[in-house]
Amino acid sequence: MAKSRSYQESLLESLKDPLEAVEYLNAALEEGDPAVFLLALRDVVDSYGGMSKLAASTALNRENLYRMLSTKGNPEFFSLLTVLKAVGFR
């Protein structure tokens, strides 16, 4: 019997494709809920290597990144831009 992959594993694999990641983030923006967008951005960050890799490539603290990209996160505009640039978006 073949072992099935979890939804999260499949999602993160698909988000490695930049076009797929952009569409995923755009769909999250269309929801109109900032918490949905932040969770979608967290998925994209996870697909690009996770918070530790993101923290190493930016001047942002890993713990702050976790808080910023949580459902209760409220990132500053500059921090959000820094994260988007780090994963290759503008």
Side-chain angles (χ1 to χ4, degrees):
M1 178 184 237
K3 185 177 178 183
S4 63
R5 291 186 347 175
S6 74
Y7 169 76
Q8 189 69 15
E9 288 172 351
S10 297
L11 174 65
L12 294 181
E13 187 64 34
S14 70
L15 292 177
K16 289 179 181 178
D17 176 355
L19 295 176
E20 187 74 25
V22 167
E23 290 302 317
Y24 185 69
L25 291 175
N26 283 337
L29 278 174
E30 288 176 10
E31 289 293 318
D33 183 352
V36 171
F37 178 75
L38 292 176
L39 289 177
L41 184 55
R42 186 172 179 164
D43 287 336
V44 171
V45 167
D46 286 344
S47 75
Y48 279 77
M51 295 293 182
S52 295
K53 184 175 180 182
L54 179 63
S57 67
T58 65
L60 301 173
N61 178 291
R62 186 174 53 87
E63 289 79 17
N64 289 341
L65 287 170
Y66 277 110
R67 254 183 266 127
M68 181 176 86
L69 298 178
S70 73
T71 55
K72 295 180 183 186
N74 188 16
E76 293 182 11
F77 183 72
F78 176 76
S79 297
L80 190 56
L81 276 180
T82 301
V83 170
L84 288 170
K85 285 181 182 179
V87 294
F89 302 116
R90 41 183 184 114

